[in-house]
Amino acid sequence: MPSPIVSKRAPIYADVPDEKWNDWRWQLSHRLNTVEEIEKVVPLTDSERKALQTSGLFRVDITPYFISLIDPDDPNDPVRIQIIPRAEEMQAFTSMMEDSLAEDRHSPVPGLVHRYPDRVLMLVTTQCASYCRYCTRSRIVGDPGQTFSRQEFEAQIEYLKRTPQVRDVLLSGGDPLVLAPKILEEILRRLREIPHIEIVRIGSRVPVFMPMRITQELCDMLEKYHPLWINIHINHPNEISQELADACDRMSRAGIPLGNQSVLLAGVNDCVHIQRELVQKTTRIRVRPYYLYQCDLVEGAGHFRTPVAKGIEIIEGLRGHTSGYAVPQFIVDAPGGGGKIPVMPNYQISASDHKIILRNYEGYIASYEEPTEYAAHDPATCSYCQNKRPEPGQTGITGLLDGEEMFLKPEGFDLIHDRHGIQHRLKDEKKWKPLGIGAGTKENAEG
Ligand SMILES: *Cc1c(COP(=O)(O)O)cnc(C)c1O
């Protein structure tokens, strides 16, 4: 049952003049963060009150626009639990980490994460329009004393200039769209001056928290720096208001392809039917579902975690059942810095040397007859193969398929399997370091 597009203001904002309500600076300066303020809009539960009165909690701030999307009578409202802290946030859990993706280890200069061969994540601010309670970067985000740093920015630009394999820069934070317009434009301009940077992407939840920020003026500015892509972050159909739809329309008209990255969250969207409605509604506003993330092992997010199988079940309920455009990739971002790993249902049932057996979303099972003769692609005569871009040390399984490597070995493999050499090493205890032992523990994962 499609719900109507909502457009509402909490009663306390009824008398705010439209020009203020629709001014993003007004929204930012009227954000709510204390028990007293929030209670004027949403009657708080004991758990929420307790969390809000705890010092040292990850920053709370909610725009008047976003809090107005909450049904105040529903303590389990899906928008509410993303943004109002609960006491569970203070609970530790097994495998909890501060920097679960080991981003700090992958930083060649502060604020730049170079994890993949051809692209980098650039953290340009620690500020957001509102703060998601499950934030994967809560270790750095929200600190009010630390916003855009020019010194860090210059070091990041220098690194990018001397690193030609980077062709894709992903601006994130914090949220790049809360930066002062002049600073945002300067960042884009400086990136565009680097010839090997082919695309720039922005990851932002501003359209969802504060769609009034997506002014025509902002879109006119962004349009000057194409090819520019934007990923937004919607988790539940209730976040898709008329204002958000209009903001997305303005960005699309400026030629910006829009994607959605959502997080699988217990009590918010851990349901095939909610997800189906979400992805269908996002495609209607021309936002293509990109990733659905498994919740990270981050402090404060334990109560949002679901089993990974829930994500597989959701993809099972989307693929084939709805438009292919509406199906995101389900991703587990591997703890310890392993990076994004797609996880999905199995569609391949078996194979022989001439047939592959596949099943579809309905359970229909088919054999696909493979060609008996295949004029194999010849890398020797292919100019793309001859001029492929290097991926130093990161080719992985493709490297095995390419014939560049014969095997991949876990660290310490040679040492452990050197049964002959071990005798000599044991004589000299100082040289012996059990490299591979304990791999995968939290300590190791954090490097
Ligand atoms: C997510 C991420 C990217 C971008 O990954 P894509 O799969 O290309 O969207 C790049 N760098 C880091 C460090 C990331 O976490």
Side-chain angles (χ1 to χ4, degrees):
M1 185 183 48
S3 49
I5 284 182
V6 287
S7 180
K8 56 182 182 181
R9 285 190 204 186
I12 63 156
Y13 301 118
D15 296 332
V16 175
D18 283 355
E19 66 270 21
K20 281 194 174 156
W21 181 261
N22 294 323
D23 177 351
W24 60 279
R25 292 188 168 89
W26 183 90
Q27 290 282 341
L28 276 184
S29 59
H30 289 78
R31 286 182 292 180
L32 316 176
N33 53 49
T34 63
V35 170
E36 296 69 34
E37 289 169 344
I38 296 173
E39 201 135 46
K40 284 187 190 141
V41 186
V42 177
L44 294 171
T45 64
D46 289 345
S47 166
E48 290 166 335
R49 199 170 294 116
K50 186 175 163 202
L52 282 164
Q53 284 164 341
T54 303
S55 62
L57 200 74
F58 174 53
R59 176 160 168 194
V60 176
D61 249 326
I62 313 169
T63 56
Y65 161 83
F66 197 66
I67 203 168
S68 295
L69 299 179
I70 296 175
D71 170 1
D73 301 324
D74 180 3
N76 297 316
D77 179 275
V79 171
R80 172 183 193 138
I81 67 179
Q82 290 181 57
I83 209 77
I84 300 179
R86 288 172 285 166
E88 293 96 307
E89 199 168 306
M90 284 118 61
Q91 252 160 43
F93 59 91
T94 342
S95 305
M96 179 176 92
M97 301 178 216
E98 201 190 7
D99 175 15
S100 83
L101 311 179
E103 292 187 329
D104 297 345
R105 182 150 50 89
H106 281 106
S107 286
V109 293
L112 202 73
V113 186
H114 191 176
R115 167 68 188 75
Y116 299 99
D118 68 341
R119 55 208 186 278
V120 297
L121 173 66
M122 191 167 161
L123 307 174
V124 290
T125 175
T126 58
Q127 306 298 296
C128 288
S130 300
Y131 294 90
C132 309
R133 302 324 300 166
Y134 48 85
C135 179
T136 198
R137 241 169 255 134
S138 50
R139 71 185 188 283
I140 43 176
V141 163
D143 178 353
Q146 216 196 333
T147 56
F148 173 76
S149 153
R150 175 153 303 278
Q151 205 187 346
E152 277 188 13
F153 175 64
E154 294 301 336
Q156 292 168 348
I157 292 288
E158 277 315 306
Y159 177 82
L160 292 173
K161 281 186 181 161
R162 64 173 190 262
T163 315
Q165 78 254 37
V166 176
R167 43 164 291 286
D168 174 1
V169 175
L170 167 48
L171 298 177
S172 183
D175 197 317
L177 296 187
V178 298
L179 284 170
K182 270 192 186 145
I183 292 183
L184 178 62
E185 177 155 20
E186 186 190 347
I187 294 172
L188 293 170
R189 187 175 49 76
R190 297 283 300 278
L191 288 172
R192 271 285 159 259
E193 283 169 8
I194 305 175
H196 57 263
I197 293 176
E198 297 170 3
I199 64 168
V200 176
R201 303 192 240 177
I202 295 176
S204 173
R205 208 178 186 191
V206 158
V208 173
F209 285 144
M210 200 171 60
M212 39 295 276
R213 172 68 190 99
I214 312 302
T215 57
Q216 190 52 50
E217 192 187 1
L218 176 72
C219 294
D220 292 344
M221 184 277 276
L222 294 175
E223 201 176 4
K224 291 192 278 176
Y225 300 96
H226 273 312
L228 177 75
W229 297 60
I230 293 184
N231 263 327
I232 67 173
H233 174 177
I234 317 170
N235 290 323
H236 189 278
N238 288 4
E239 292 160 51
I240 305 180
S241 65
Q242 186 60 51
E243 287 94 329
L244 173 63
D246 293 345
C248 292
D249 186 59
R250 285 190 289 277
M251 291 189 283
S252 291
R253 283 172 196 275
I256 304 167
L258 299 176
N260 186 45
Q261 313 204 71
S262 58
V263 183
L264 179 52
L265 299 167
V268 175
N269 57 15
D270 51 341
C271 157
V272 173
H273 303 105
I274 295 175
Q275 288 284 348
R276 212 179 277 169
E277 171 96 1
L278 172 67
V279 299
Q280 289 171 349
K281 276 182 102 174
T282 58
T283 43
R284 259 171 63 185
I285 61 169
R286 287 190 281 168
V287 175
R288 185 172 180 187
Y290 181 59
Y291 287 155
L292 169 65
Y293 289 105
Q294 172 70 12
C295 192
D296 288 327
L297 294 167
V298 68
E299 229 173 293
H303 56 304
F304 284 111
R305 298 205 301 137
T306 63
V308 172
K310 182 51 76 175
I312 297 176
E313 179 191 343
I314 287 167
I315 302 303
E316 185 70 70
L318 296 179
R319 173 64 64 199
H321 297 268
T322 192
S323 319
Y325 271 129
V327 183
Q329 281 270 11
F330 175 50
I331 298 283
V332 180
D333 213 331
K340 296 180 175 71
I341 301 176
V343 180
M344 66 200 88
N346 264 323
Y347 294 99
Q348 182 186 330
I349 288 179
S350 196
S352 73
D353 64 349
H354 63 290
K355 272 185 184 153
I356 179 159
I357 311 297
L358 303 165
R359 62 108 180 165
N360 81 347
Y361 72 102
E362 298 164 293
Y364 174 93
I365 297 178
S367 79
Y368 175 86
E369 185 86 34
E370 301 202 288
T372 45
E373 273 164 66
Y374 166 52
H377 176 75
D378 181 9
T381 58
C382 169
S383 61
Y384 293 87
C385 289
Q386 296 304 310
N387 299 310
K388 66 183 178 206
R389 292 181 197 250
E391 293 180 42
Q394 282 188 282
T395 55
I397 307 293
T398 355
L400 298 181
L401 293 173
D402 258 10
E404 261 171 35
E405 308 282 348
M406 277 286 281
F407 39 74
L408 296 175
K409 288 187 277 194
E411 188 184 313
F413 182 93
D414 287 338
L415 202 53
I416 283 169
H417 292 279
D418 183 5
R419 305 287 183 207
H420 172 71
I422 199 167
Q423 300 303 327
H424 302 285
R425 280 195 308 275
L426 285 176
K427 280 185 218 139
D428 185 356
E429 296 255 331
K430 270 182 231 147
K431 276 193 221 151
W432 168 241
K433 249 181 97 198
L435 274 173
I437 296 171
T441 62
K442 193 187 150 192
E443 284 70 24
N444 254 311
E446 283 177 334

